[in-house]
Amino acid sequence: HDMNMTYWMILFTTSCFANLLGLNISAGLDSAVTVYILIPFLLIPQILLSGVIVRYDKLHPLINCNEGVPLIGNVMTSRWAYEALAVEQFSNNPFEKQFYREEAVMSQATYKKDWWIAAMREKTDRLERMMTNKASRDSMNVPLTILRTELGNELALNGAKKNQLISQLTYETVNTGTISALRNTIDELREYYIEKFNAANEAKESKIAKMTSGKDGEAEFLAMKNRYENESLEEMVRNSNQSERMVITNDKIIQRFEPVFHENPNEIFKKAPMFSYSKNVFGCKMKTLNVNIFVIWMMSLFLYLTLQFDVLRRVLRAFTKSR
């Protein structure tokens, strides 16, 4: 409801790409039978690899990646269009957009205090055991690298304190004082995110209280919620039907918790998770809707150039001659 222009913009952009793709096929192939045979090979991947039917994290390890969307997904126009539709409908419908900021802060705080903090404590304890047992450099470098990376990306930490702590997280310099400082820092971060969650929750509740005040306020609030809220969509963009909240590699912790609220200023564009609300493009934070539409138009421009210079026919001729 009430998102006609958004839907039209995304679907029109996708239709332009589809038309240019069809024109390339028509211009490059002489046989109608060949065209009919080729069409399913172009459409089926767009359906299967759009991120809807098959989740990217369920793909074969050879084509999957822990961070972001795999390359095979990024070359699918349907992936960019569907993500834009899903994110916009969830976050910018007339009901949800009133609470999105508060829910985003609550989600990020929940991830940090309930999952990330626990992982950081586990790595700290593991590092302490390795120090006690005089483990090898290679073994200790794994928790040291994770701790350095995660603390380096933590915006809530004071710059000077952060740099001092990170500088101590090397095989040569780490000691019991470093472990103690790490634990204190992690405890402070947990308290910080608890306070942040509580403040955002109070702000959201205050908005709801204003909306439900008055004679028919509660009934109007529920009617509006029922009109715009989509439980299946919410489950998908929040990733709430998956038990995996994070992935821990040998150098970092990758968030899988509620990707639509995910936000990491240090994360490059191509590593943003599917259904993230915003993406970092050349250091600038941009809405997923704008980024994805731009990507599809760039794909359309590429197809326009291949059509203009008859690239498909030339490639086919070169391939035929080589055989």
Side-chain angles (χ1 to χ4, degrees):
H1 297 291
D2 301 331
M3 301 192 73
N4 291 342
M5 284 305 299
T6 300
Y7 266 70
W8 181 87
M9 183 166 50
I10 297 169
L11 296 177
F12 173 77
T13 301
T14 310
S15 299
C16 290
F17 171 88
N19 276 281
L20 282 165
L21 181 62
L23 288 170
N24 270 271
I25 296 169
S26 299
L29 301 171
D30 296 321
S31 170
V33 175
T34 307
V35 173
Y36 295 146
I37 293 172
L38 183 61
I39 286 173
F41 289 97
L42 295 172
L43 289 181
I44 291 173
Q46 294 283 351
I47 297 170
L48 292 178
L49 298 172
S50 63
V52 185
I53 295 177
V54 181
R55 292 176 57 86
Y56 291 126
D57 55 1
K58 302 300 181 185
L59 294 176
H60 192 279
L62 288 176
I63 58 176
N64 190 14
C65 61
N66 284 325
E67 273 189 287
V69 177
L71 177 61
I72 196 169
N74 279 331
V75 298
M76 298 295 155
T77 306
S78 56
R79 163 265 194 273
W80 298 99
Y82 186 76
E83 181 186 41
L85 284 172
V87 170
E88 278 301 296
Q89 184 174 324
F90 171 77
S91 61
N92 282 326
N93 68 72
F95 178 78
E96 177 63 27
K97 70 180 180 181
Q98 300 178 82
F99 309 108
Y100 179 82
R101 265 299 112 204
E102 288 78 16
E103 289 187 354
V105 172
M106 290 165 64
S107 174
Q108 292 159 19
T110 299
Y111 166 72
K112 291 284 188 175
K113 68 185 180 66
D114 293 347
W115 306 98
W116 184 81
I117 292 291
M120 293 290 283
R121 282 176 173 167
E122 188 275 330
K123 295 303 172 188
T124 303
D125 294 342
R126 181 182 173 190
L127 180 61
E128 185 178 39
R129 290 196 299 271
M130 286 180 168
M131 288 172 52
T132 303
N133 297 329
K134 294 182 169 45
S136 65
R137 176 189 290 266
D138 289 342
S139 299
M140 287 182 64
N141 272 340
V142 174
L144 283 169
T145 302
I146 293 172
L147 289 166
R148 279 200 308 270
T149 302
E150 294 303 312
L151 290 173
N153 290 333
E154 183 51 57
L155 300 177
L157 284 177
N158 175 274
K161 181 179 180 180
K162 179 199 297 189
N163 294 334
Q164 182 181 5
L165 186 55
I166 290 174
S167 66
Q168 296 175 17
L169 290 171
T170 64
Y171 181 78
E172 292 78 13
T173 58
V174 67
N175 52 44
T176 54
T178 308
I179 299 297
S180 178
L182 260 177
R183 289 202 171 105
N184 290 335
T185 300
I186 291 170
D187 288 341
E188 289 172 7
L189 285 172
R190 185 172 187 277
E191 292 301 316
Y192 168 79
Y193 282 112
I194 288 174
E195 291 176 7
K196 200 170 182 181
F197 177 91
N198 291 338
N201 188 48
E202 287 177 10
K204 180 184 175 182
E205 292 300 323
S206 177
K207 284 185 177 181
I208 294 174
K210 289 180 181 178
M211 293 174 70
T212 54
S213 62
K215 183 180 178 182
D216 299 320
E218 189 168 346
E220 290 174 358
F221 176 84
L222 292 174
M224 188 180 187
K225 182 178 181 181
N226 291 333
R227 179 176 173 81
Y228 295 111
E229 196 173 59
N230 186 313
E231 291 182 2
S232 297
L233 176 66
E234 182 175 345
E235 183 179 86
M236 180 172 59
V237 298
R238 282 178 175 260
N239 206 18
S240 56
N241 59 348
Q242 301 294 315
S243 59
E244 192 176 49
R245 297 290 184 255
M246 61 173 65
V247 173
I248 303 177
T249 66
N250 286 336
D251 58 352
K252 64 174 67 175
I253 300 172
I254 301 168
Q255 179 180 342
R256 290 281 174 82
F257 179 74
E258 299 193 339
V260 75
F261 297 123
H262 172 83
E263 195 170 305
N264 183 356
N266 300 312
E267 188 175 64
I268 61 176
F269 166 63
K270 67 177 183 178
K271 293 190 176 180
M274 183 71 167
F275 303 125
S276 59
Y277 178 77
S278 62
K279 294 180 171 70
N280 296 319
V281 182
F282 303 117
C284 298
K285 179 181 174 181
M286 299 179 66
K287 284 181 61 177
T288 286
L289 173 67
N290 301 332
V291 173
N292 289 21
I293 286 179
F294 176 77
V295 168
I296 298 173
W297 278 113
M298 288 299 99
M299 290 179 170
S300 299
L301 177 62
F302 172 77
L303 289 182
Y304 170 77
L305 294 174
T306 60
L307 179 64
Q308 186 73 23
F309 296 102
D310 207 10
V311 172
L312 180 58
R313 186 179 292 274
R314 292 176 185 224
V315 170
L316 291 174
R317 282 177 181 170
F319 181 74
T320 303
K321 288 180 181 178
S322 67
R323 295 187 65 181

